Amino acid sequence: MDANPDQPEPVPPVGLDLVAPEMYAPMLRRLAVAAAGVGIGAALLAATVVDWPIAVAVGLVVGLPTVGYALALRRRRMWVTGTTVHARRVFGERKLELSAATGVEILVFPARLSRIALRVTAGPDVQLIPLAMYTDAGSGRELHLLGLRKLADALAASHLAAAVAVSALLVHQLRAEARDAGLEERPLYRAVQLARAKDYVSPVVLSDREVAELG
């Protein structure tokens, strides 16, 4: 049976993770197995001096937190479909509509490994979307081209002036990455440099003027 030609095709999701989950999933799996082994070993060792119920409790205390942490990290994921950002957490999933944002900010966490993120507010919901991270040595990782494109398009659909300004900033970053420009020509890296120059320990929220100048 032919599909209805009037029915719009589903919009494919685009991942927004700086590091693809497939890259660190094997490491997390090994960590979970190792932690489980340590917990079992601790339980067997404890069983030589205490009753089994207490030994099992010791094993759970030793191994369960690390196993839970590894499984939680494997579950966390972020993606965008159309103008909606989806963030899957340990329990449940959050959806945030970018075109209906009531607040859009560029947030920089200055450190030896500096992170820069997009903070979006829509009503009571707040979501951080990682954009890039850079080391003092000038290396780092940036959000891939398609992710930048989708975020820029979604923010451009907003009536919020700050959202449109950030959209323009992401477009400039997209173009710089596409032509493999040096770090000094990339707006996100220059944003990190700007935050580092302020010599703040706490996260830095870039002003609308600074965002416009970077774009």
Side-chain angles (χ1 to χ4, degrees):
M1 184 176 179
D2 294 336
N4 186 352
D6 297 327
Q7 184 177 2
E9 295 184 3
V11 179
V14 176
L16 296 178
D17 298 292
L18 279 182
V19 180
E22 293 77 13
M23 294 183 63
Y24 57 77
M27 178 194 68
L28 292 177
R29 185 165 52 249
R30 290 193 297 269
L31 176 63
V33 171
V38 171
I40 293 172
L44 293 174
L45 182 62
T48 62
V49 293
V50 297
D51 294 335
W52 268 108
I54 299 176
V56 171
V58 170
L60 290 175
V61 169
V62 172
L64 191 58
T66 303
V67 173
Y69 175 74
L71 295 178
L73 279 184
R74 286 195 63 182
R75 178 172 170 77
R76 292 176 68 92
R77 191 166 295 199
M78 189 178 301
W79 68 96
V80 58
T81 53
T83 59
T84 304
V85 169
H86 304 253
R88 191 173 69 189
R89 298 170 292 180
V90 178
F91 301 107
E93 176 186 318
R94 170 186 288 170
K95 297 181 182 179
L96 191 143
E97 180 59 42
L98 292 180
S99 61
T102 55
V104 175
E105 299 170 310
I106 293 293
L107 191 61
V108 181
F109 300 84
R112 296 188 66 179
L113 176 61
S114 298
R115 297 179 293 122
I116 180 167
L118 174 66
R119 182 165 64 185
V120 182
T121 304
D125 297 323
V126 179
Q127 182 63 53
L128 282 181
I129 304 171
L131 298 176
M133 53 185 175
Y134 301 103
T135 67
D136 286 343
S139 60
R141 184 178 292 272
E142 300 164 325
L143 186 61
H144 55 86
L145 300 180
L146 187 55
L148 287 172
R149 177 79 268 174
K150 292 297 184 181
L151 282 179
D153 290 345
L155 291 171
S158 172
H159 298 291
L160 198 65
V164 176
V166 171
S167 174
L169 173 68
L170 296 182
V171 169
H172 281 81
Q173 175 72 20
L174 171 69
R175 292 172 178 169
E177 288 189 32
R179 69 173 189 273
D180 198 24
L183 284 179
E184 297 293 340
E185 300 179 56
R186 304 190 181 202
L188 294 181
Y189 182 73
R190 289 192 282 115
V192 168
Q193 286 187 310
L194 180 64
R196 286 174 175 169
K198 295 182 178 183
D199 199 23
Y200 291 166
V201 177
S202 57
V204 176
V205 178
L206 300 187
S207 67
D208 292 343
R209 180 182 60 81
E210 290 170 331
V211 171
E213 290 176 350
L214 288 170

